[in-house]
Amino acid sequence: MKQVRKSLSKIVAVMLTAAMLIQPYGVQETKAEKSTYGINNPVITSEIHPNLNSTDALTSSLDMTSASSDDFEDDEEEIPQGYTAIDSIDGLAGIRNDLNGKYILTKDIDLSETKYGGMYDSGNGWSPIENFAGVLDGNGHKIKGMHIFGELEESKTYDVGLFANLNRGAVIERLGMTGVDIDVTTGDEGDGHLNIGAITGRGYKCSISECYAEGTISVKGKEGDDIGGIIGSMDGEGYYETEKINDCYNLINIQAEDTKNVGGICGNLYYIELKKCYNIGKVNDGNNGGAIFGWQIFCSISDCLYLVGSGTKDSEGTPLTEKQMQDLNWYTNFDFIDVWDIDSNSGIPYPQLKRNPQVRLKGIKVKYNPAKLEYNQGDRISLRGGKIELQYENGKTALVSMDETMLGHYDMMKIGKQTIEVKRLNKTASFTINVNPISVKQITLDKTQLVLKKGETATLTATISPENATNKDVEWSSQNSSIARIDQNGKITAVSPGNTVIEAKSESTGTVIATCNLSVIVTCDSLSITNKTVWDDDAGEYCITLNTGNTLQLKCDVSPSDATEGIVWQSENSMVAIVNAQGGVTAVGPGTTKITARSESGERDSIYIYVPRTIPTPAPAPTVPNREETEPDTTYDDSSYTHNAKQSKKPVRPGNTRVKKLKSIKKRLWVQWSKAKNAKYYQVIVATNKSFTKGLKGGKLTGLRGWCKIKRKKTYYVKVRAISSTGLVGKWSKAKKIKCK
């Protein structure tokens, strides 16, 4: 087998000779030694190229025959300015031509032909890219099937991975490595050293973020080798600048023998910031395998989690069970809004990177519409029964229930059919709803009976039910416009005396009506009794003599002539004469009395009736007057009224409060405030500017906290004040600001 392998390697070497670029093997100085970095076929298998010494390397220009188009996606992606697009092995290998350039993947890259005997096998599989100091943006894509294998010389140092080593300023982000297969061996003697990681063997003052790795690493080396799932070793050289590893995870199983610094994320760390990473892969190196790292000094390590038993020695970080690793509540400081997501349906039940998912969502479709598709304007949308089918690139499908976080923009105030967009990551589907207007059910007027004087005006107010009716406009009309007119603002003008009905009709329905009964009156300016014909000098008044039992009809002239007021007649002494409601006087007994005519508006006139003592011819007995006809004129006087109720206590103004805490969670802003003395309620307002004139939201609450809906990535200002049970308000608190994520 070994002979076959040698023969195949020689064939590949001959094929590549004409196209290969021979260059000095990347030599770089560390603090105490010079080492040769990179794993290239002349170094790993020196017998294939006996003419090259240990400090030389051959950077191969691999045969770039295209793989099947079925292996790649067809989506065209926008290339950021200054970046070079990579969509093939050829493009990936071309990074060697400009190690300081900026690169972005536009497709997944398949390196499966780097396996032993494959089309792109350099003799030891993939040849790591040396001395990279640029930027590689995986753009959510992955490099799959990278193979690196071979027997290494124990006296040499090798950096093994996609990149041999990352130099100062290098940035690797949003990159996935799947199907990684690294299998190398070296002797246990000599001064050689191994740095092995899926992304890079070694890093110096660089950064790696939003990356993951899956596969296997098998190493038989010596004590002091640095092996990690993501990176073998990383050196910040005493400073925290760009040197960091954040938002990464590892699923690579590492099997190492006779080594020391082995970790799920990184083998060896020096002055590095490591945060928000987790490891699932099994790290096995006797008693030296760390779930997160193998060895570190002067590093800042935070929010790192690992599966219980994934390492063979204690590691800094939080150990979790399988179930706990699948629960986002354990990932306290992880950003599950913009960076992380848990999608158990994909086959990877652990957190994945939103911008770099291990298993990407290929598409979604609405499988079942929500049960409710008909709404009234302003209703809250209901997603009960709605399900979408998730379709993944690995062939898995899943049904999940819709929730409001999946919905795009919609407007429940918009009348008619409306398309509701459902989003899952960057995939969309839709369903259609119909929004109906809210009909007017009732109109209530503030007055149902109204009396106006001729020429007077009054305004009616209509209240619409329900309050959220779509069209609250009212059409006003008068059944008799010659008596009263009304405009479309509800203003009535009394035109002439009489009675009419004012109507308020719903503009939207035409059938919902409210009415007000209106009377227009004309008041009396003056009145005079026309029977004044005899002047009594002694009395100094007009006086009519009327014998006992005789009757007399008094009459009045009223001005203006169209006055609608009634006349009230009254006798000062009903023992002398009585008067009925129509002004008819009947003499009762001897004496003198004053008969008064009074209008409802208070105009008066009077005349005296004298009944002599002579006995007149018997006359019919007088009719018993109505009480109201003989009731003396009285005026109600409330001057003596005294309010004897106990006086209420003086209202007390509430104390001050303050905003204690602001927190944004998804599209909600949570507000907490302090308790104020004598407070019954609290008024909270939220605005998008300091002067509280834009984007106002508010509410009246009884507790000490509440929330409102907000938009992400905006700044909000919040203030609160207390309100007493009597309605007195306290001072506004000092405004507090929050920038929502």
Side-chain angles (χ1 to χ4, degrees):
M1 183 68 179
K2 185 174 181 181
Q3 186 62 41
V4 173
R5 177 176 174 179
K6 287 181 179 180
S7 299
L8 290 172
S9 299
K10 288 178 180 179
I11 293 172
V12 172
V14 172
M15 295 175 63
L16 296 174
T17 300
M20 289 181 178
L21 175 64
I22 301 178
Q23 60 183 20
Y25 194 50
V27 179
Q28 209 168 352
E29 260 186 58
T30 64
K31 297 176 183 177
E33 63 182 0
K34 289 185 178 180
S35 303
T36 303
Y37 304 104
I39 180 167
N40 293 302
N41 50 323
V43 177
I44 298 176
T45 314
S46 59
E47 59 187 298
I48 298 178
H49 300 284
N51 296 327
L52 293 177
N53 59 44
S54 62
T55 61
D56 294 329
L58 184 66
T59 304
S60 56
S61 299
L62 301 176
D63 182 2
M64 296 302 172
T65 304
S66 301
S68 171
S69 61
D70 293 339
D71 296 334
F72 301 94
E73 300 177 356
D74 295 326
D75 296 337
E76 294 185 1
E77 301 187 30
E78 184 177 353
I79 309 302
Q81 187 175 1
Y83 281 75
T84 300
I86 296 177
D87 61 1
S88 65
I89 299 178
D90 190 14
L92 191 65
I95 292 176
R96 296 181 174 91
N97 299 323
D98 183 5
L99 296 172
N100 296 305
K102 294 182 178 180
Y103 304 92
I104 185 168
L105 299 188
T106 57
K107 292 183 178 180
D108 292 350
I109 307 297
D110 191 350
L111 295 185
S112 59
E113 286 295 324
T114 59
K115 62 185 178 182
Y116 177 67
M119 186 178 298
Y120 299 100
D121 176 18
S122 66
N124 300 104
W126 171 254
S127 296
I129 301 170
E130 298 184 43
N131 300 319
F132 183 66
V135 176
L136 176 61
D137 183 355
N139 195 26
H141 295 288
K142 53 193 168 190
I143 297 173
K144 51 188 179 182
M146 182 184 72
H147 296 262
I148 300 176
F149 49 84
E151 298 178 2
L152 311 181
E153 294 185 23
E154 61 188 23
S155 62
K156 298 177 182 178
T157 294
Y158 300 90
D159 296 328
V160 180
L162 177 67
F163 295 93
N165 55 302
L166 300 176
N167 288 346
R168 182 193 295 267
V171 175
I172 310 298
E173 59 186 2
R174 301 195 297 172
L175 177 64
M177 301 288 295
T178 63
V180 174
D181 183 9
I182 299 176
D183 186 1
V184 296
T185 62
T186 185
D188 58 3
E189 298 183 1
D191 297 330
H193 184 78
L194 292 178
N195 297 301
I196 300 176
I199 291 179
T200 185
R202 183 175 58 85
Y204 174 71
K205 298 180 99 43
C206 58
S207 73
I208 300 175
S209 61
E210 296 188 47
C211 295
Y212 68 87
E214 177 272 327
T216 60
I217 295 177
S218 180
V219 181
K220 186 175 181 181
K222 62 172 68 70
E223 184 175 347
D225 291 346
D226 299 323
I227 302 163
I230 301 294
I231 182 173
S233 66
M234 191 167 181
D235 185 1
E237 205 177 51
Y239 301 95
Y240 293 132
E241 294 176 358
T242 59
E243 51 280 354
K244 61 184 179 181
I245 305 173
N246 65 276
D247 295 300
C248 296
Y249 68 93
N250 175 61
L251 296 171
I252 287 181
N253 293 320
I254 303 174
Q255 179 65 50
E257 298 181 17
D258 303 324
T259 58
K260 183 177 181 180
N261 303 324
V262 184
I265 302 297
C266 185
N268 187 350
L269 298 169
Y270 182 71
Y271 274 103
I272 301 299
E273 183 182 28
L274 176 64
K275 62 182 181 180
K276 291 183 284 189
C277 297
Y278 75 85
N279 176 61
I280 300 292
K282 181 71 174 180
V283 182
N284 187 7
D285 185 35
N287 295 321
N288 295 319
I292 300 297
F293 59 85
W295 182 87
Q296 67 90 13
I297 186 170
F298 304 132
C299 294
S300 173
I301 300 173
S302 61
D303 299 312
C304 290
L305 315 171
Y306 62 90
L307 181 65
V308 172
S310 59
T312 54
K313 72 174 183 179
D314 293 336
S315 183
E316 189 169 340
T318 304
L320 301 177
T321 65
E322 179 80 15
K323 185 176 181 180
Q324 290 170 334
M325 292 295 298
Q326 299 174 23
D327 184 356
L328 64 85
N329 292 309
W330 287 94
Y331 300 81
T332 306
N333 293 317
F334 283 53
D335 183 356
F336 279 90
I337 297 176
D338 298 317
V339 180
W340 293 91
D341 185 31
I342 286 185
D343 186 359
S344 59
N345 301 296
S346 69
I348 305 295
Y350 313 108
Q352 296 188 65
L353 296 159
K354 282 189 174 183
R355 293 175 291 191
N356 181 19
Q358 186 174 345
V359 178
R360 290 197 292 271
L361 190 63
K362 187 177 181 180
I364 66 172
K365 70 177 182 179
V366 176
K367 190 71 173 179
Y368 301 107
N369 286 329
K372 185 176 181 180
L373 298 175
E374 289 286 333
Y375 294 90
N376 288 326
Q377 187 183 35
D379 284 354
R380 184 184 179 113
I381 195 167
S382 172
L383 301 177
R384 183 175 58 85
K387 294 183 181 294
I388 59 172
E389 182 180 81
L390 309 179
Q391 303 165 336
Y392 297 92
E393 63 178 3
N394 61 358
K396 291 183 178 292
T397 62
L399 280 180
V400 298
S401 297
M402 297 180 186
D403 62 62
E404 289 195 8
T405 63
M406 300 177 182
L407 302 185
H409 175 73
Y410 62 95
D411 186 0
M412 297 302 288
M413 298 302 294
K414 182 179 179 181
I415 304 299
K417 292 192 179 297
Q418 189 170 168
T419 299
I420 305 298
E421 191 176 70
V422 184
K423 296 182 178 180
R424 181 76 173 193
L425 299 179
N426 61 339
K427 308 301 181 182
T428 61
S430 64
F431 62 93
T432 302
I433 65 171
N434 188 49
V435 179
N436 300 307
I438 300 174
S439 299
V440 175
K441 302 297 183 183
Q442 185 180 24
I443 301 175
T444 304
L445 299 181
D446 60 335
K447 301 179 184 67
T448 59
Q449 301 285 337
L450 189 60
V451 178
L452 294 178
K453 296 178 182 179
K454 180 182 176 180
E456 281 188 336
T457 62
T459 300
L460 293 178
T461 300
T463 301
I464 305 298
S465 294
E467 292 184 358
N468 60 341
T470 302
N471 186 352
K472 294 183 179 181
D473 291 340
V474 171
E475 294 179 355
W476 296 94
S477 65
S478 171
Q479 291 185 358
N480 191 338
S481 59
S482 65
I483 294 175
R485 299 189 303 269
I486 186 167
D487 64 17
Q488 292 309 302
N489 296 317
K491 183 180 180 181
I492 302 170
T493 301
V495 177
S496 62
N499 298 314
T500 188
V501 177
I502 302 297
E503 291 184 349
K505 181 169 63 177
S506 169
E507 186 180 80
S508 60
T509 66
T511 57
V512 181
I513 300 174
T515 61
C516 173
N517 295 317
L518 173 66
S519 295
V520 178
I521 63 173
V522 179
T523 59
C524 175
D525 293 335
S526 64
L527 64 81
S528 62
I529 298 174
T530 59
N531 302 74
K532 295 180 177 181
T533 58
V534 180
W535 179 261
D536 189 330
D537 291 331
D538 294 334
E541 293 283 352
Y542 286 97
C543 185
I544 296 177
T545 299
L546 191 65
N547 292 327
T548 302
N550 289 352
T551 60
L552 174 68
Q553 181 61 50
L554 297 178
K555 296 181 180 180
C556 277
D557 278 342
V558 177
S559 180
S561 60
D562 61 348
T564 58
E565 287 186 274
I567 304 298
V568 178
W569 295 89
Q570 187 177 9
S571 172
E572 193 175 70
N573 189 343
S574 61
M575 298 300 292
V576 176
I578 58 175
V579 61
N580 62 21
Q582 291 74 40
V585 179
T586 300
V588 177
T592 303
T593 185
K594 183 167 71 173
I595 304 297
T596 302
R598 176 173 58 86
S599 70
E600 293 175 357
S601 59
E603 299 296 323
R604 296 169 180 261
D605 196 14
S606 60
I607 190 172
Y608 283 86
I609 300 294
Y610 171 65
V611 181
R613 291 186 178 274
T614 57
I615 300 176
T617 301
T623 57
V624 179
N626 295 328
R627 183 176 179 85
E628 63 180 53
E629 295 174 348
T630 60
E631 192 72 27
D633 182 28
T634 60
T635 303
Y636 180 75
D637 183 6
D638 64 352
S639 61
S640 62
Y641 176 80
T642 303
H643 181 59
N644 295 319
K646 293 183 178 179
Q647 299 296 316
S648 60
K649 295 182 179 179
K650 184 178 180 181
V652 180
R653 190 173 299 277
N656 295 334
T657 181
R658 62 182 179 84
V659 180
K660 292 175 63 177
K661 186 177 181 181
L662 298 176
K663 187 176 181 181
S664 65
I665 303 176
K666 294 185 177 180
K667 294 184 178 180
R668 292 183 176 183
L669 174 61
W670 288 89
V671 185
Q672 186 176 350
W673 53 89
S674 63
K675 187 176 182 180
K677 189 176 181 180
N678 299 317
K680 178 70 173 179
Y681 310 98
Y682 297 90
Q683 186 180 7
V684 184
I685 58 173
V686 181
T688 56
N689 63 341
K690 292 181 180 179
S691 57
F692 287 84
T693 59
K694 296 181 180 179
L696 283 176
K697 300 174 180 286
K700 184 178 177 184
L701 305 168
T702 57
L704 297 178
R705 68 174 189 170
W707 64 269
C708 68
K709 290 186 178 181
I710 56 168
K711 295 182 180 178
R712 294 177 179 170
K713 298 182 179 180
K714 293 193 74 169
T715 299
Y716 288 88
Y717 299 84
V718 183
K719 62 183 181 180
V720 61
R721 68 179 179 182
I723 305 174
S724 71
S725 59
T726 59
L728 295 179
V729 297
K731 294 182 178 179
W732 284 111
S733 69
K734 185 178 179 182
K736 197 165 184 178
K737 180 174 91 171
I738 182 174
K739 187 173 183 180
C740 299
K741 297 180 179 180

